[in-house]
């Protein structure tokens, strides 16, 4: 094996780990329409403790893309995440799809989240992940807004057939996007295994639940250098999700929430074991670290 091949192998075996840090109970309660949905859910504290312990044991560090409204409901959790050596990024404030917002609404949502994150951690997030990867072909103006709002990188492009009108990265590897006014926003796409016949997403736990583990590992090896993985706090929790709606919720609301819990419980069943297997085969680092390596290399003489 030549020295240059060895170097590229080393790069290929590093993946970017992220957590979309949000309170599932806030989201499901809002979705089914119960009042008081903003109140802190009963499980995020436990889920966060389990997740941080697991990442420590696996010697993995991640970017936590923080949802503003969940951070405000659990103000002490962000300090703990940062103290364990993880990067704090931004997942927006209200978890509204980007393509349903105007550019000025999107900018306001970013500012609200940033203000919460800065107040609670003293640090300004450099990276952004859209809720449900919702920067679509029609809402690509969002990249310019992110750069104008001071973000250095985006991690929202996910080339999967499950997302309608998704933005397909020109190249699957991390790359700078040159925007107007000489601004640059780096893009870090989610891991997708491209074969001659199909695009197979391999970066998230809902895909790990339906693919044999050896194919997930093989797909990640093929997905390109510094491909992105994403998790949610509830996916590593040994306790199943339970909807636990407040008193006064209707039978229909309870049925709706229970169905969503069942769906998430199915989707997360392989998450912990697959993450262990991935951590055994790949170095897992936060996005900001990869951004510092790449953008430093791109600007050095
Ligand atoms: Zn989310």
């Amino acid at each position: 094996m030549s020295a240059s091949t060895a170097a590229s192998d080393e790069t290929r075996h590093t993946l970017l780990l992220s957590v979309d840090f949000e309170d599932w109970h806030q989201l499901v309660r809002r979705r089914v329409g119960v009042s008081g949905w903003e109140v802190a859910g009963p499980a995020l504290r436990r889920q966060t403790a389990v997740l941080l312990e697991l990442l420590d044991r696996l010697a993995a560090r991640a970017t936590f893309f923080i949802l503003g409204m969940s951070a405000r409901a659990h103000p002490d959790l962000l300090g703990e995440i940062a103290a364990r050596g993880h990067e704090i990024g931004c997942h927006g404030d209200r978890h509204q799809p980007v393509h349903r917002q105007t550019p000025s609404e999107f900018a306001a949502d970013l500012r609200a989240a940033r203000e919460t994150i800065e107040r609670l951690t003293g640090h300004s997030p450099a990276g952004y992940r859209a809720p449900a990867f919702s920067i679509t072909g029609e809402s690509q103006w969002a990249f310019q807004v992110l750069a104008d709002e001071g973000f250095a990188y985006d991690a929202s492009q996910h080339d999967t057939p499950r997302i309608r009108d998704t933005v397909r990265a020109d190249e699957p590897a991390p790359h700078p996007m040159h925007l107007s006014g000489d601004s640059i926003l780096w893009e870090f796409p989610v891991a997708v295994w491209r074969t001659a016949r199909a695009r197979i997403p391999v970066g998230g736990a809902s895909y790990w639940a339906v693919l044999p583990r050896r194919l997930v590992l093989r797909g990640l090896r093929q997905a390109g250098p510094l491909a992105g993985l994403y998790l949610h706090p509830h996916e590593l929790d040994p306790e199943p999700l339970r909807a636990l709606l407040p008193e006064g919720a209707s039978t229909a609301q309870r049925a709706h929430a229970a169905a969503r819990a069942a769906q998430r419980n199915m989707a997360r069943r392989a998450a912990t074991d697959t993450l262990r297997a991935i951590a055994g085969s790949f170095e897992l680092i936060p996005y900001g670290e990869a951004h510092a390596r790449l953008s430093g290399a791109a600007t050095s003489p």
Side-chain angles (χ1 to χ4, degrees):
M1 186 185 284
S2 72
S4 63
T5 310
S8 64
D9 277 354
E10 194 181 307
T11 309
R12 192 164 62 229
H13 289 137
T14 298
L15 297 173
L16 309 182
L17 182 60
S18 65
V19 176
D20 291 354
F21 190 78
E22 60 203 29
D23 185 330
W24 181 83
H25 284 90
Q26 284 183 316
L27 295 173
V28 79
R29 288 167 175 177
R30 180 173 70 181
R31 187 172 193 107
V32 305
V34 295
S35 58
W37 58 264
E38 302 97 325
V39 172
L44 186 62
R45 175 173 302 280
R46 182 190 68 236
Q47 293 164 353
T48 304
V50 170
L51 174 58
L52 290 174
E53 277 305 306
L54 179 64
L55 295 182
D56 275 358
R57 277 206 304 279
L58 299 177
R61 281 170 309 111
T63 301
F64 282 64
F65 292 108
I66 304 287
L67 186 65
M69 68 182 198
S70 297
R72 286 191 293 279
H74 303 267
D76 55 328
L77 293 182
L78 267 56
E80 177 68 15
I81 294 165
R84 304 277 197 115
H86 303 291
E87 180 191 5
I88 300 291
C90 178
H91 193 37
D93 198 68
R94 308 279 291 178
H95 216 273
Q96 303 290 359
V98 175
H99 58 77
R100 288 205 207 126
Q101 300 180 56
T102 64
S104 59
E105 286 168 345
F106 179 57
D109 186 79
L110 292 175
R111 283 179 203 160
R114 176 188 286 272
E115 196 179 288
T116 293
I117 293 167
E118 286 176 350
R119 178 168 54 79
L120 295 175
T121 67
H123 293 285
S124 200
Y128 174 76
R129 155 83 41 76
F133 307 106
S134 55
I135 300 179
T136 56
E138 282 194 353
S139 49
Q140 293 193 54
W141 47 259
F143 299 124
Q144 184 70 52
V145 175
L146 283 164
D148 292 347
E149 291 296 320
F151 286 87
Y153 72 85
D154 172 72
S156 307
Q157 292 188 12
H158 191 191
D159 184 8
T160 162
R162 275 203 206 169
I163 298 174
R164 245 186 81 236
D165 189 26
T166 184
V167 175
R168 256 190 224 184
D170 297 334
E171 44 180 325
H175 58 278
M177 293 187 283
H178 296 272
L179 305 167
S180 70
D182 281 343
S183 51
I184 291 178
L185 184 74
W186 276 77
E187 178 60 40
F188 290 88
V190 173
V192 173
W193 179 17
R194 289 168 180 78
T195 70
R197 277 184 292 178
R199 314 193 308 280
I200 305 166
V202 283
S206 55
Y207 299 100
W208 303 346
V210 294
L211 286 170
R213 190 157 303 136
R214 66 185 166 74
L215 284 189
V216 173
L217 294 173
R218 192 168 145 204
L220 289 173
R221 261 178 231 113
Q222 304 288 329
L226 302 174
L229 307 177
Y230 64 97
L231 295 166
H232 299 88
H234 62 79
E235 287 169 338
L236 291 310
D237 186 2
E239 302 269 333
L241 276 176
R242 292 190 191 88
L244 300 173
L245 297 191
E247 277 180 40
S250 70
T251 306
Q253 286 171 324
R254 289 185 189 286
H256 185 177
R260 299 210 52 100
Q263 189 185 50
R264 295 321 305 160
N265 284 325
M266 280 293 281
R268 72 194 190 100
R269 63 200 159 144
T272 301
D273 288 346
T274 304
L275 182 63
R276 282 183 208 281
I278 292 170
S281 300
F282 300 87
E283 180 193 25
L284 299 176
I285 65 169
Y287 283 67
E289 210 164 293
H291 175 259
R293 283 185 201 172
L294 293 173
S295 61
T299 54
S300 60

